[in-house]
Amino acid sequence: NKNSPHVFNGVSFPSIVPVEGLKALENFETRPDDVVIVSYPKSGLNWTYEVVTLILNNADISKPKLPLFTHVPYLEVMHIEHGKTYAEILRDLPSPRLIATHLRYSMLPPGVHDNGTKTIYVARNPKDVVVSYYHFHRMSRVHPDPGGWDKFLSDFMSGNVVWGSWYQHVLDVWANRQKRNILIVRYEDMKKDLPAAIRQMAALLGRQLTEPGVQLIASHCSFDSMKSNPMTNGSKVPMVFNNDESQFMRKGVVGDWINHFTVAQDRTFDSHYLRTIAVRGMEFEFELI
Ligand code: A3P
């Protein structure tokens, strides 16, 4: 299904994100103990979702009972089997709810802004994001055709991709970074020191973990462990992922962009990035670690 996307509030979405569902978010009722994980696509949301699920379950690794992807409740996305959006399904779920979304911060339900909902924003350097997003478009049956790499890269830079501009997405949350209920976590930092990121997230959520608990979560959520675990590696949703094209757990590294960008593309990308992001003080690491 390579349906062409539609546009809502200036942002392009695939057909699995229905307009009615986006409009209905205006009235989505948040609860004081909701936890929201927000990221631009391909920035490590599913990884963070697994980590936070385990934090909320006190490092009990038997707790995630459904394969990731069949149940990650992306607020705006249509549930494959239920024929309604997760936002509707979430209305009937018990607390505490863990909610995921790729919507930019300003598009989230008003309650998230007004009531101080605990929010974890995962950010990843844009060069690795665009590479990951390109391969994801190739394998996903619900995303539009990416075209060739050169075209996709230029669409990404102009924000003409589904879920919109990466630049706008990170600037949106950056403008809200002083709020006490928001934690911005970087993919690169999670790669460097996952236990430290787990402790930071647990602190935001007011959860006490023992040190062995932190280590257990970190080893369960390493790339190799999640890649070999059928519950987390995306192999259980062949109706959405064509795993012959690419894999959900593709490489999981920092710096793979170097294998895709030409020198000229890198130069153009950098000057655009400097104008839009770096001037606002938000920093990313791009080099292989
Ligand atoms: P790559 O395509 O670069 O490998 P999202 O969940 O937001 O869609 O992000 C997907 C990206 O996160 C993919 O990047 C995927 O491999 C990576 N990822 C998922 N789990 C990971 C883990 N445990 N450690 C490192 N990277 C992970």
Side-chain angles (χ1 to χ4, degrees), residues 127 153 257-258 261-271:
K127 294 183 188 176
L153 177 61
W257 63 268
I258 203 103
F261 281 63
T262 64
V263 171
Q265 284 173 338
D266 192 33
R267 206 174 295 132
T268 311
F269 194 96
D270 279 350
S271 66

Side-chain angles (χ1 to χ4, degrees), residues 36-40 45 99-105 108 112 119-123 169 173:
V36 185
I37 306 177
V38 189
S39 84
Y40 188 81
L45 190 141
I99 301 170
T101 181
H102 284 320
L103 293 175
R104 60 175 70 154
Y105 188 75
L108 297 182
V112 175
T119 304
I120 297 175
Y121 185 92
V122 196
H169 207 284
V173 77

